[in-house]
């Protein structure tokens, strides 16, 4: 039996998915919560939030993500970074997953990826869990109800956590699988309840499709000046570097917190919501995001709460440090109604440096910007991926290697060309450690980071005096109002400067060793900008 609003010519049966139990199409938030509660998928929290635990999978499983090797994509995929799946393995996986789904209830959400109608894609999400339907309804963009009457999907995602893959039969690594078949326009997810796999599968899809249209897909947040969408800024960074926190600036208009495109028309959000980390979330430091944790329909994922009062504990990471909340973009008061902005005037690359070497902000030349974009240096933050319990230095090219199906140079060249064409100023911002490495130093004060970003975005930082960093060659401001001068020279924050020098040389070598893989593919100016 089917219920809900749907194009009568585009049901699951029309797609060859038959024999299911009840199929619920495009239920709105109250109905999804009602179903999830009846099915025992979670609990109702304060303000009508939905509290859920994802079990043993509290982060993404990047090693279980596969791309099907078909003739049309085999020469385009970055196979060093994307695990292959054979067509035969995918066909068997699809057949076995559909057999597993027989007789069970499923939830369908027909949604849109991309705020720019000229460059968006229609996505059908088929989920075993009602709360996954609620989650993805927040995270992607919701078409008008009338538009559902003739909705057809460009791609379909089927998420079945109770299904476990068989590696030998299905050409995958483990019982957990995320399989992308660009030829069949299908994505299959099994063996994990972690909701982030839903949104990241669509992001990966757009990362493959958009470069062929000359559009730069970006793992970044974005905002613009109030009343002036042309004055836009983007913030690249991996999870935990501050994309969500720093872009939700009350003095600017939020375009989005995680995934965007940069086209000839400007910047546009891929999503319709935000997926914010909540560990140590503070009502004082991040009031807008904090307030969403008591708003109707917000999904509260893997957070400890009082069983009687349902009060959330933002400091207890016993379930995971990757505790999160998912909410629609309109829950942020200064969010853009269009989720679109102009060409970025400022490009900010966020890094969480566990070595305590990098300054809180540095200005980059275009060549240096491409170097640091391809390097993608940061530290994996505890909980974002399974098995990571404390920050680990890592290089994730394009600040999002797990989501990049094409080779890094494809994205790097697009970014370089757009920076050159539109004259953006590029900054590297360290939200990691100062005064020592992780375990010895302290986290960069968020007030200082905000002050530096404000100065960068309003143009005043460009007038400051700069020094050349002896390790990386980029420009570092000497003095900025509202920021302790000692913070701007990380060597001075260490008790023993000689220990800082040793750490700096270690990090420089790590950068150089990592960058060797890109040398055959890049221009001479980027090679020259590599170090110093």
């Amino acid at each position: 039996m089917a219920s809900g609003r749907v194009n009568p010519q585009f049901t699951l049966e029309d797609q060859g998915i038959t024999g299911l139990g009840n199929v619920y199409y495009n239920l709105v938030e109250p109905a999804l919560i009602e179903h999830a509660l009846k099915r025992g998928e979670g609990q109702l929290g304060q303000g009508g939030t939905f509290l859920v635990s994802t079990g043993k999978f509290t982060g993404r499983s990047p090693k279980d993500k596969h791309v099907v090797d078909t003739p049309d994509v085999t020469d385009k995929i970055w196979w060093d970074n994307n695990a292959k799946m054979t067509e035969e393995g995918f066909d068997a996986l699809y057949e076995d997953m559909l057999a597993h789904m027989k007789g069970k209830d499923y939830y369908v959400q027909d949604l849109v990826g991309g705020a720019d109608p000229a460059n968006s894609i229609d996505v059908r999400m088929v989920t075993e869990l009602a709360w996954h339907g609620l989650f993805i309804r927040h995270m992607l963009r919701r078409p008008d109800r009338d538009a559902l009457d003739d909705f057809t999907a460009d791609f379909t995602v089927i998420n079945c956590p109770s299904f476990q893959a068989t590696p030998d039969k299905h050409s995958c690594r483990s019982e957990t699988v995320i399989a992308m078949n660009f030829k069949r326009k299908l994505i299959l997810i099994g063996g994990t309840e972690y909701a982030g796999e839903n949104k990241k599968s669509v992001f990966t899809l757009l990362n493959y499709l958009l470069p062929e249209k000359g559009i730069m897909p970006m793992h970044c947040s974005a905002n613009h000046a109030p009343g002036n969408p042309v004055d836009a800024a983007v913030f690249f960074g991996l999870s935990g570097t501050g994309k969500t926190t720093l872009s939700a600036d009350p003095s600017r208009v939020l375009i989005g917190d995680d995934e965007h495109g940069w086209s000839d028309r400007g910047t546009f959000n891929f999503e319709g919501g935000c997926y914010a980390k909540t560990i140590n979330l503070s009502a004082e430091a991040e009031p807008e995001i904090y307030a969403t944790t008591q708003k109707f329909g917000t999904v509260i994922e893997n957070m400890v709460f009082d069983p009687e009062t349902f009060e959330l504990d933002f400091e207890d990471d016993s379930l995971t440090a990757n505790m999160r909340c998912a909410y629609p973009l309109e829950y942020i008061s200064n969010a853009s109604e269009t989720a679109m902005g102009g060409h970025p005037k400022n490009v900010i690359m966020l890094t969480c440096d566990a070595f305590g070497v990098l300054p809180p902000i540095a200005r980059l030349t275009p060549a240096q910007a491409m170097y640091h974009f391809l390097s993608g240096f940061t530290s994996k933050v505890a909980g974002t991926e399974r098995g990571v319990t404390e920050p680990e230095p890592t290089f994730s090219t394009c600040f999002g290697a797990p989501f990049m199906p094409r080779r890094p140079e494809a994205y790097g060249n697009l970014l370089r060309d757009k920076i050159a064409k539109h004259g953006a100023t590029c900054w590297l911002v360290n939200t990691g450690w100062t005064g020592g490495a992780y375990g010895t130093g302290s986290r960069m004060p968020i007030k200082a980071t905000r002050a530096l970003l404000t100065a960068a975005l309003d143009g005043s930082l460009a007038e400051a005096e700069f020094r050349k960093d002896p390790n990386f060659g980029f420009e570092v401001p000497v003095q900025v109002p509202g920021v302790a001068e000692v913070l701007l020279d990380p060597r001075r924050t260490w008790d023993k400067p000689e220990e800082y020098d040793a750490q700096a040389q270690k990090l420089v070598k790590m950068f150089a060793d990592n960058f060797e893989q890109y040398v055959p593919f890049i221009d001479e100016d980027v090679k020259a900008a590599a170090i110093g």
Side-chain angles (χ1 to χ4, degrees):
M1 183 183 75
S3 64
R5 194 152 188 175
V6 63
N7 178 356
Q9 306 303 317
F10 190 69
T11 65
L12 290 186
E13 288 80 4
D14 295 316
Q15 295 181 266
I17 302 174
T18 60
L20 303 184
N22 295 311
V23 179
Y24 301 98
Y25 290 91
N26 297 306
L27 297 184
V28 295
E29 291 80 358
L32 287 166
I33 292 173
E34 183 179 27
H35 278 248
L37 289 171
K38 286 181 178 179
R39 291 158 57 96
E41 294 178 3
Q43 293 178 268
L44 198 65
Q46 292 187 3
T49 58
F50 190 73
L51 311 175
V52 66
S53 168
T54 61
K56 68 175 182 177
F57 294 92
T58 58
R60 290 180 290 101
S61 301
K63 293 181 180 179
D64 293 309
K65 191 171 187 177
H66 300 262
V67 175
V68 180
D69 186 9
T70 56
D72 53 321
V73 305
T74 191
D75 295 331
K76 302 175 183 177
I77 300 297
W78 180 25
W79 292 116
D80 290 343
N81 186 61
N82 294 270
K84 286 186 180 182
M85 177 178 282
T86 64
E87 289 190 80
E88 294 76 15
F90 182 88
D91 291 345
L93 176 67
Y94 184 56
E95 182 178 334
D96 289 347
M97 185 176 282
L98 292 191
H100 175 85
M101 294 166 63
K102 298 287 187 184
K104 299 177 183 177
D105 295 350
Y106 276 82
Y107 296 84
V108 175
Q109 289 287 322
D110 292 327
L111 301 163
V112 177
D116 182 354
N119 298 300
S120 62
I121 62 169
D122 293 333
V123 179
R124 167 161 282 181
M125 303 291 304
V126 183
T127 62
E128 179 180 20
L129 298 173
W131 82 263
H132 273 193
L134 176 66
F135 171 88
I136 202 63
R137 186 171 170 81
H138 290 334
M139 297 314 305
L140 292 184
R141 303 190 64 79
R142 300 165 295 282
D144 294 336
R145 298 294 288 177
D146 290 345
L148 297 173
D149 294 337
D150 55 8
F151 182 97
T152 57
D154 298 310
F155 275 78
T156 297
V157 182
I158 302 175
N159 189 327
C160 187
S162 66
F163 175 83
Q164 295 193 329
T166 303
D168 290 342
K169 183 178 183 182
H170 299 137
S171 183
C172 57
R173 190 187 74 98
S174 74
E175 70 279 0
T176 301
V177 65
I178 302 98
M180 310 192 69
N181 192 323
F182 295 109
K183 179 181 177 182
R184 294 188 61 175
K185 299 186 176 182
L186 270 173
I187 300 172
L188 306 179
I189 303 172
T192 173
E193 292 187 25
Y194 182 64
E197 300 289 10
N198 292 293
K199 83 182 213 89
K200 289 304 185 187
S201 68
V202 177
F203 183 40
T204 305
L205 172 61
L206 289 165
N207 283 341
Y208 177 77
L209 296 174
L210 293 181
E212 290 189 347
K213 299 175 68 175
I215 298 169
M216 174 66 187
M218 304 178 290
H219 188 211
C220 73
S221 56
N223 61 27
H224 67 73
N228 186 12
V230 174
D231 185 1
V234 297
F235 302 74
F236 285 99
L238 292 176
S239 176
T241 56
K243 292 193 313 300
T244 299
T245 298
L246 296 172
S247 59
D249 183 338
S251 67
R252 291 177 66 85
V253 177
L254 178 67
I255 300 173
D257 84 320
D258 195 43
E259 302 166 4
H260 293 79
W262 186 353
S263 72
D264 289 340
R265 292 154 55 106
T267 310
F268 64 98
N269 193 354
F270 289 166
E271 301 184 299
C274 301
Y275 191 34
K277 290 175 74 77
T278 55
I279 187 168
N280 299 321
L281 188 64
S282 163
E284 290 72 33
E286 301 162 273
E288 290 268 31
I289 299 173
Y290 187 90
T292 69
T293 63
Q294 292 190 354
K295 291 190 175 183
F296 179 80
T298 293
V299 175
I300 306 292
E301 191 179 71
N302 295 319
M303 286 192 70
V304 174
F305 56 89
D306 187 293
E308 294 183 0
T309 66
F310 296 91
E311 183 176 350
L312 300 173
D313 189 331
F314 293 89
E315 298 180 357
D316 188 338
D317 62 356
S318 58
L319 290 178
T320 177
N322 194 35
M323 57 182 78
R324 289 180 179 264
C325 64
Y327 51 89
L329 197 61
E330 59 263 27
Y331 278 7
I332 301 298
S333 63
N334 62 325
S336 166
E337 292 184 5
T338 65
M340 298 176 65
H343 298 289
K345 286 188 175 181
N346 289 278
V347 173
I348 294 103
M349 298 180 186
L350 300 170
T351 181
C352 174
D353 173 21
F355 283 91
V357 168
L358 295 175
I361 197 166
R363 185 167 60 189
L364 307 177
T365 66
Q368 288 170 339
M370 187 171 179
Y371 174 77
H372 283 277
F373 179 71
L374 290 176
S375 297
F377 170 72
T378 190
S379 302
K380 287 182 181 176
V381 178
T384 301
E385 292 182 10
R386 290 188 292 138
V388 179
T389 58
E390 62 181 45
E392 297 177 359
T394 188
F395 292 87
S396 185
T397 189
C398 309
F399 293 99
F403 324 120
M404 302 298 167
R406 296 177 182 270
R407 278 204 57 83
E409 309 85 57
Y411 306 104
N413 289 332
L414 269 172
L415 182 65
R416 178 198 61 196
D417 293 346
K418 289 189 178 296
I419 287 172
K421 182 176 180 179
H422 301 289
T425 303
C426 300
W427 308 90
L428 182 69
V429 172
N430 175 24
T431 61
W433 277 259
T434 186
Y438 170 77
T440 302
S442 57
R443 199 73 189 259
M444 195 72 68
I446 190 170
K447 287 186 178 180
T449 302
R450 286 193 184 280
L452 290 166
L453 282 173
T454 297
L457 298 181
D458 69 17
S460 61
L461 188 56
E463 306 303 318
E465 177 187 354
F466 286 80
R467 64 177 177 86
K468 184 177 180 179
D469 181 84
N471 299 303
F472 289 93
F474 43 49
E475 294 183 316
V476 181
V478 174
Q479 192 175 44
V480 178
V483 179
E485 191 173 327
V486 67
L487 276 180
L488 297 171
D489 187 352
R491 189 173 188 271
R492 291 172 56 194
T493 67
W494 285 53
D495 291 336
K496 297 180 179 179
E498 64 274 12
E499 293 184 358
Y500 169 86
D501 293 337
Q503 279 283 76
Q505 288 309 304
K506 181 179 179 181
L507 186 59
V508 164
K509 186 176 186 306
M510 286 180 65
F511 265 86
D513 290 347
N514 172 74
F515 203 75
E516 283 296 318
Q517 62 186 302
Y518 306 120
V519 169
F521 307 101
I522 58 172
D523 296 336
E524 291 300 321
D525 61 336
V526 180
K527 295 177 186 177
I531 298 295

